[in-house]
Amino acid sequence: MQVVTISFFRYDNWASRLEALSQMARGRFALKSVPGLEFFKLLGTGSDEGFNPRPNVDVNAILCVWPDMATAKAGLKGSITHRTLRDHSCETYTIYLTPTSARGMWSGVEPLQVTEKAEEGPLAVLTRATVKLPVALQFWKHVPQIQKEVAADPTCVFHMGLAEVPWVQQVTFSLWQGTGTMAGFAHGQTPHGRAIRAAYGDHWFKEDLYARFKILEEEGTWEGGSPMAKLKSDSRPAAPAPAEPAATEKPAAQAPAKPKKAPRKSRGSKKSKVSA
C-alpha cells in the first residue's frame, strides 16, 4: 500500500524562517538520498491559509511518496531535511495518507498508485496545477471567493494552499467530513465549481493532478490541536451532492396549468359589496 505523507512546519522567529528558506533550496539534494523515497516536493505557502499569493514565511511543507508505512516512518525519522525543519519549528504536523483515486501528472510523472478502495466518511483531497502565465491573473481572481467559501464550510476541517512556484504552480490540500459536501463544493454551482469549469473549458493548465486519499494517521499538532479529532467529532457521512443536469439536457415539460374558475357573483344587495 503506497503511503503519502505531508509534513507542515511553523516558525516563530527569523532565524528559523531563514533556515527554512535555506532548506527549500538545499533540502532537495538531501531528500534524494533518503531510502525508499519515491517522489517528493518542497512546498511554500501563501498568506491567508495559503490562498493568498503573497508568500507566508511562517509555514512550509514537504510532500513525500513512499512504498509502504514502515518505509515512510523510517524515512521521516532519518531524513536530515525533515529533522532540521522540525528542530527549527515551533509546531509540526504530519498526516499519513493512501490514495483511493488519482488522475493527472506532476512534473511529467504519475507519482500516485491507487491500490485501496474509497470508503464512506472522512477523506483528504489534493489538487495541483501549473497555470499558464497568460491566464494567471484570471485564475487568481476566483481565489478570494473560493477561500471564503472553504472557510465557511463546517465539513472542511483543514485547508491549506501551497505552491512550488508562486502564482503559477499551485497545490491545495484539504480534509473533509465526507464526499458529498466536498463534491458539491468542488463541482457544483459554487465559485470553485465555476472556476474549475472555466479552467478546463479554456485550457488554463499546462499540467494538473487531482487525488483523493484515505486518512491513515497523524503526528504532531496544528494550531494547537488535531485536525483528525475534528473529523472524528462528526463521523456521519455527508449527504450526496445533487447531480447537475447535463448541458444538453432539456428541462422537463410541464403540464399546462388549469384555468382558474371565475368567482361567483354575490346575490346580495349592491350595498353589501366591498370594492377593492
Side-chain angles (χ1 to χ4, degrees), residues 121-123 154-155 157 175-179 230-231 233-237:
L123 74 156
T155 64
V157 303
L175 302 178
W176 296 80
Q177 293 282 7
T179 58
K230 295 179 182 178
L231 288 171
S233 66
D234 184 1
S235 58
R236 296 168 295 176

Side-chain angles (χ1 to χ4, degrees), residues 19-28 42-44 60-61 163-164:
E19 179 60 35
L21 288 172
S22 173
Q23 287 298 321
M24 293 292 285
R26 296 186 293 114
R28 67 186 72 253
L42 293 107
L43 302 166
N60 64 0
E164 298 171 77

Side-chain angles (χ1 to χ4, degrees), residues 193-244:
R194 289 189 288 273
I196 288 298
R197 286 189 287 275
Y200 285 102
D202 296 336
H203 306 289
W204 289 1
F205 302 147
K206 289 182 179 179
E207 185 182 60
D208 65 281
L209 180 145
Y210 177 85
R212 297 183 185 183
F213 302 86
K214 178 182 178 181
I215 303 167
L216 302 176
E217 61 180 86
E218 65 180 5
E219 291 176 354
T221 64
W222 198 249
E223 295 181 343
S226 160
M228 281 186 67
K230 295 179 182 178
L231 288 171
K232 293 176 182 178
S233 66
D234 184 1
S235 58
R236 296 168 295 176
E244 293 186 56

Side-chain angles (χ1 to χ4, degrees), residues 112-134:
L112 303 178
Q113 300 172 6
V114 178
T115 59
E116 304 300 308
K117 292 183 178 180
E119 300 176 355
E120 286 194 357
L123 74 156
V125 177
L126 182 142
T127 68
R128 183 267 166 187
T130 298
V131 184
K132 295 178 180 178
L133 277 174

